Amino acid sequence: MLKKAETKFAHVKPGDTQFLTGGLRDFFLYRDLGIADATNGKVVAQLVKANLPPEQGTGWHVHEADFHIVIMLKGWARFMYDDKPTLVAQGDVVHQRPGLTHFLFDYSPDMEYLEIAAPADFKTVGVKGPCEVPPVTPWR
């Protein structure tokens, strides 16, 4: 459990931080919610949204994280979780267990999700995938 002295209060309003490039994927935009700073790097919370149409997707990878969830706020995304194609739509919540091999390969133009992970500086490692990935849905 995080102790009071290890964290600080944070209140980030919509205009306090902006969606920016320079995150893990150049085809997404990221908006920091101040949680990594407030928890001294124990947890990160960020909004992620589509910036460019899907082409190659994220590639097969795993995250070196103790905890990782995705809450789809708008639109949809299609993932491969191990060898299973999974549609994650608005309102869905996904817990990506530690070491889960996955590939985000398709998403809608309005896709936006909240990502919460621990630790804040979790690593992403490319891996060989277990199967082929379905084609993307072209944006019109």
Side-chain angles (χ1 to χ4, degrees):
M1 174 186 266
L2 295 176
K3 295 179 176 66
K4 183 177 175 181
E6 296 175 344
T7 64
K8 59 185 174 184
F9 177 78
H11 180 186
V12 176
K13 296 180 180 184
D16 292 346
T17 60
Q18 304 301 313
F19 279 98
L20 303 171
T21 58
L24 181 60
R25 316 282 181 198
D26 63 356
F27 43 88
F28 293 154
L29 297 172
Y30 300 84
R31 182 171 162 244
D32 178 48
L33 298 177
I35 304 305
D37 180 58
T39 62
N40 292 312
K42 290 179 175 51
V43 178
V44 65
Q46 61 186 354
L47 295 174
V48 180
K49 72 178 183 176
N51 182 35
L52 300 170
E55 291 179 2
Q56 302 301 316
T58 62
W60 287 103
H61 63 281
V62 297
H63 297 297
E64 294 178 352
D66 298 324
F67 176 79
H68 194 156
I69 62 170
V70 169
I71 303 168
M72 192 62 64
L73 302 175
K74 296 178 188 172
W76 55 266
R78 292 195 303 156
F79 291 80
M80 293 296 295
Y81 287 115
D82 291 325
D83 62 348
K84 295 177 182 57
T86 304
L87 175 66
V88 180
Q90 182 175 334
D92 291 357
V93 178
V94 175
H95 172 250
Q96 295 180 171
R97 65 169 168 72
L100 176 65
T101 300
H102 61 287
F103 190 132
L104 190 163
F105 67 93
D106 196 11
Y107 47 89
S108 63
D110 63 340
M111 180 211 73
E112 183 176 328
Y113 62 85
L114 171 63
E115 175 178 54
I116 304 171
D121 65 349
F122 69 91
K123 304 292 183 258
T124 299
V125 179
V127 297
K128 181 173 173 37
C131 63
E132 293 294 315
V133 175
V136 302
T137 307
W139 289 2
R140 298 180 191 258

